[in-house]
Amino acid sequence: MRLAAALVLAVVVAAALAALVWTPYPVDGFDMAHRFAMPALAHPLGTDHYGRDILSMLMAGARTSLGVGAGAILIGVGIGAPLGLAAASSGRLGNSVLMLGGDIVFAFPALIVAAILTTFYGPSALNALIAIGIFNIPVFMRLTASSARRVLALDFVDAARLAGKGRARIAVEHVAPLVAPLVMTQAATQFAIAILAEASLSYVGLGAQPPTVSWGRMLAEAQTLIALAPQLAVWPGLAIVVTVLAATTLGEAFNRRLDPRFAGGA
C-alpha cells in the first residue's frame, strides 16, 4: 500500500514538474471544433467544453494544486515550528503569549482568511497559498511545542544546561533534531489537507483564476455540465481523491515508523 501510494504521488509530482515546461496541448488554446471529444489516441482523456485537452489540463492543475499545497506547508513549518520551539523553551509568560496568538490565528479557517485577502487583493492562487499557509502555522506550532516540552524533560537536556548551554542553543542543537521527524510526518498529512483546501477555495472562486488551471477550478467549470459531460468532473475529482489518499497514506506510514507505540509491529 505504501509503495503504491509513493508511486502515485511520484507520478503526480512528475506530471506537475513536466507541466512547468510542457503539456501535450496548450491549456489556453480553444478548439471548439473538437469540444466534448471522447477519449482517443489524440486526446487520451478527451476534451472539455472549450476543446481543451483534459490530460493537459490535469497536468497544469497538478502544478497549481501541488504548488499551493507545498507552499502552504512551507509557510506553516517555516513559521509555526520555530514559534513552537520558542514557546516550549521560553518561560511560562512567553509560552502563554505565543500559544494564545496561535489560538487566535487557528480561530480563522483558511476560507475566512482567503475571503479577507480577496477583499483587498482579489482572488488568486497566491492568496489561496497564503491563506492556507497562515492556517497551518498554529498546527505546526502546537505540534512542535508539545513535542519539544517532552524532549526538554529528558535527562540529557538537564546535562546540557549544567554544561552552560542557553535555551536557544539547547533548542537548536538538542530539541529540534528530535522534533523534526514528527513535524515532517505531520507535514505529509497537512499537505493532503492543503490540496483539498486549495481545491475548495478555487471551486468557490477564492483561489486560482483563469487562465491559471487548478483541479478545483476544473470542478467549478464542470458543475453546470454534469448531465451533458460528467467526465469533466470525474477526472479532476479523481485526481484530487487519489493524490490526497496517497499523501495521507504516506503520512500514516511515516507516523507508524516514528511512533514508539507501533514499535515491534504492534
Side-chain angles (χ1 to χ4, degrees):
M1 190 68 177
R2 287 175 292 180
L3 179 59
L7 288 175
V8 167
L9 204 55
V11 170
V12 174
V13 171
L17 293 175
L20 292 173
V21 295
W22 173 84
T23 53
Y25 293 88
V27 295
D28 56 353
F30 294 174
D31 185 5
M32 302 303 289
H34 296 92
R35 61 199 300 258
F36 298 124
M38 297 303 293
L41 186 61
H43 300 282
L45 300 182
T47 63
D48 68 0
H49 51 301
Y50 292 123
R52 297 173 296 184
D53 180 62
I54 294 178
L55 177 60
S56 300
M57 298 282 287
L58 286 177
M59 292 175 63
R63 178 185 61 198
T64 301
S65 298
L66 268 63
V68 170
I73 296 306
L74 287 176
I75 291 175
V77 173
I79 299 177
L83 287 177
L85 273 178
S89 303
S90 62
R92 181 174 297 178
L93 178 60
N95 175 75
S96 299
V97 171
L98 288 172
M99 297 309 292
L100 177 60
D103 290 341
I104 293 173
V105 174
F106 199 67
F108 293 90
L111 181 63
I112 301 300
V113 178
I116 295 173
L117 290 174
T118 298
T119 301
F120 292 98
Y121 304 107
S124 69
L126 177 59
N127 287 340
L129 186 157
I130 294 172
I132 301 169
I134 291 174
F135 180 75
N136 272 290
I137 290 174
V139 173
F140 288 100
M141 181 179 172
R142 284 175 168 272
L143 173 66
T144 304
S146 62
S147 301
R149 290 191 195 99
R150 290 195 293 269
V151 175
L152 288 169
L154 299 177
D155 292 339
F156 77 91
V157 175
D158 291 333
R161 294 193 184 100
L162 292 174
K165 294 184 178 181
R167 290 179 178 177
R169 187 176 176 184
I170 291 175
V172 173
E173 293 184 0
H174 300 289
V175 179
L178 294 178
V179 171
L182 295 176
V183 173
M184 293 301 101
T185 299
Q186 184 65 32
T189 301
Q190 292 301 124
F191 176 66
I193 296 174
I195 292 175
L196 281 175
E198 186 282 326
S200 300
L201 292 175
S202 294
Y203 182 82
V204 299
L206 298 178
Q209 300 295 305
T212 302
V213 182
S214 82
W215 292 337
R217 186 71 193 172
M218 292 176 68
L219 283 175
E221 293 179 354
Q223 65 178 341
T224 58
L225 301 168
I226 293 294
L228 181 62
Q231 71 273 14
L232 299 186
V234 169
W235 292 119
L238 188 62
I240 293 170
V241 170
V242 169
T243 304
V244 168
L245 284 177
T248 302
T249 300
L250 288 180
E252 292 177 352
F254 292 152
N255 184 53
R256 284 180 172 271
R257 288 181 64 88
L258 295 171
D259 195 329
R261 291 176 298 177
F262 295 104

